[in-house]
Amino acid sequence: MIFLLKRKRFLISVIFLTALFTGSILNTLLNDGQIRQVRFHSDEKGNIVDRPPYAPLTEYIFGSDRFGFDLGHLLVEGAKWTIGITFTIVILRMFSSIVLASFIYPLNNRIYKGIKTIFEPFFVVPQTIIAYFILFSVLWMPLDGFHTPFWLRASFQVFILVIIAIPNLTIHISSEMRHVEKEDFIEVSRTLGSSKPNIFFKHIIPHVYEKWIILFGQQFIQVLQLLAHLGFMKLFFGGTHYPDDDTPPRTISYEWSGVIGGDISYLYSPQPWIVLVPIGFFIVTAICVALINQSIHAYFEHKTMVRLNKR
């Protein structure tokens, strides 16, 4: 742990993500989720002299959107959804895949190859395409409004984003388990009378759990990308609010991918910051997770070297 605390990239990344997530929770609890807004500026005679969107470093540090909402404040409010939901999806993916892999890895080669053949389509077809076709009818608001509550749509979306990754992850994790199972010390353990549960928990897991931790970080970035892709395709977390043809689609939860998808048209306008700022938050978050993952990987390598030097 001291090794990690000495790495500035690890500390800065953890502090940034923790502060962002904590600030989002506090804004909801203490400020009822309200976001700063300036509708317009007027002179003494009541004439409007300035109106949103406001450029960065004028009214607000990150500028405002077309409604006058502080972009920085808005993205902090949506951070608990983006980071929290991504974390939840990855936890459920990893847990479900590890449980399934623990049942699959001991199977004989013929059955195992058959399962891999069944799961092959999930390796070929992009997860974004699968998720889009399943979620569109649930997340896109009908003309007469949503008929299901937000929590139900959000739960269904989380379920789908977990399920579509389980085949790939299960095969990947089970392959690592099968590789360890072929080691000589496993055969020796069997010869000495160790049971299958004892071999699994005492020998296999200690050899693969570090890879699972690294895989967790990789999955976190992958889920962030998946949410961003769905946002570009106008499918926002918990539902896409689309009242009429004259009003652009809007996110209900201020989740970042929804903010990007709803304002993507501003990328080629005189106010590109409206979409560039949330994209920047997305990129910085992904970079922080990648740096944390790199630091943890370096820690595992350091620990291995120390262990070898002691022999």
Side-chain angles (χ1 to χ4, degrees):
M1 184 58 68
I2 296 177
F3 176 87
L4 290 175
L5 294 177
K6 289 182 178 179
R7 295 178 70 89
K8 292 181 180 179
R9 64 179 65 181
F10 177 83
L11 277 178
I12 293 173
S13 299
V14 170
I15 291 172
F16 173 79
L17 294 178
T18 302
L20 198 57
F21 185 78
T22 303
S24 181
I25 296 294
L26 291 177
N27 187 67
T28 301
L29 295 177
L30 303 180
N31 197 34
D32 198 27
Q34 297 298 312
I35 300 168
R36 291 191 295 266
Q37 182 185 27
V38 175
R39 296 183 181 275
F40 55 84
H41 288 288
S42 57
D43 58 20
E44 297 177 352
K45 298 180 179 179
N47 299 317
I48 296 176
V49 295
D50 195 12
R51 66 182 67 194
Y54 303 110
L57 302 177
T58 55
E59 192 67 38
Y60 306 114
I61 294 177
F62 294 105
S64 79
D65 64 5
R66 60 183 180 274
F67 301 110
F69 288 110
D70 178 1
L71 270 178
H73 197 179
L74 185 147
L75 294 172
V76 168
E77 170 62 21
K80 64 178 176 293
W81 293 107
T82 304
I83 298 175
I85 292 302
T86 301
F87 186 84
T88 301
I89 291 172
V90 176
I91 284 286
L92 293 175
R93 281 183 173 190
M94 293 295 297
F95 177 78
S96 302
S97 299
I98 290 171
V99 171
L100 286 174
S102 66
F103 288 102
I104 290 176
Y105 88 91
L107 299 176
N108 63 58
N109 289 333
R110 185 176 179 181
I111 297 176
Y112 185 77
K113 288 180 180 178
I115 293 174
K116 287 184 69 175
T117 302
I118 294 173
F119 287 171
E120 268 184 5
F122 292 93
F123 288 89
V124 178
V125 181
Q127 292 183 10
T128 304
I129 301 300
I130 300 174
Y132 180 82
F133 283 111
I134 296 176
L135 294 173
F136 181 83
S137 60
V138 176
L139 298 183
W140 191 264
M141 190 181 78
L143 294 176
D144 55 345
F146 286 114
H147 302 288
T148 52
F150 172 82
W151 70 265
L152 189 59
R153 298 192 304 273
S155 299
F156 181 75
Q157 183 174 357
V158 169
F159 174 75
I160 294 301
L161 296 185
V162 170
I163 290 297
I164 61 177
I166 287 179
N168 292 0
L169 267 179
T170 300
I171 293 300
H172 177 76
I173 293 172
S174 63
S175 295
E176 291 179 345
M177 292 179 177
R178 289 171 71 88
H179 178 73
V180 175
E181 192 185 30
K182 294 176 182 178
E183 297 290 340
D184 293 337
F185 66 87
I186 297 292
E187 189 61 36
V188 172
S189 183
R190 286 200 189 96
T191 304
L192 293 175
S194 293
S195 63
K196 288 184 178 180
N198 185 67
I199 291 173
F200 179 74
F201 288 106
K202 294 293 183 66
H203 297 293
I204 293 180
I205 287 183
H207 280 78
V208 296
Y209 82 92
E210 292 181 357
K211 295 180 180 179
W212 292 351
I213 295 175
I214 301 299
L215 186 60
F216 183 94
Q218 295 170 350
Q219 283 295 307
F220 196 99
I221 295 174
Q222 186 184 95
V223 173
L224 278 178
Q225 292 175 339
L226 180 56
L227 289 173
H229 293 163
L230 292 175
F232 279 111
M233 300 169 81
K234 306 298 184 184
L235 284 187
F236 308 150
F237 181 76
T240 302
H241 186 70
Y242 192 50
D244 54 67
D245 294 335
D246 297 325
T247 306
R250 293 294 296 171
T251 173
I252 299 172
S253 61
Y254 298 122
E255 193 273 325
W256 297 349
S257 63
V259 175
I260 294 171
D263 294 329
I264 193 64
S265 60
Y266 282 89
L267 187 61
Y268 306 103
S269 74
Q271 302 88 24
W273 68 83
I274 296 178
V275 66
L276 290 178
V277 170
I279 288 176
F281 269 71
F282 237 116
I283 293 173
V284 171
T285 299
I287 291 174
C288 285
V289 175
L291 291 176
I292 292 172
N293 226 30
Q294 289 177 6
S295 300
I296 293 174
H297 182 67
Y299 167 71
F300 288 147
E301 289 184 339
H302 172 75
K303 189 172 71 171
T304 302
M305 291 298 296
V306 170
R307 187 167 58 245
L308 291 175
N309 291 333
K310 287 181 179 181
R311 291 181 179 178

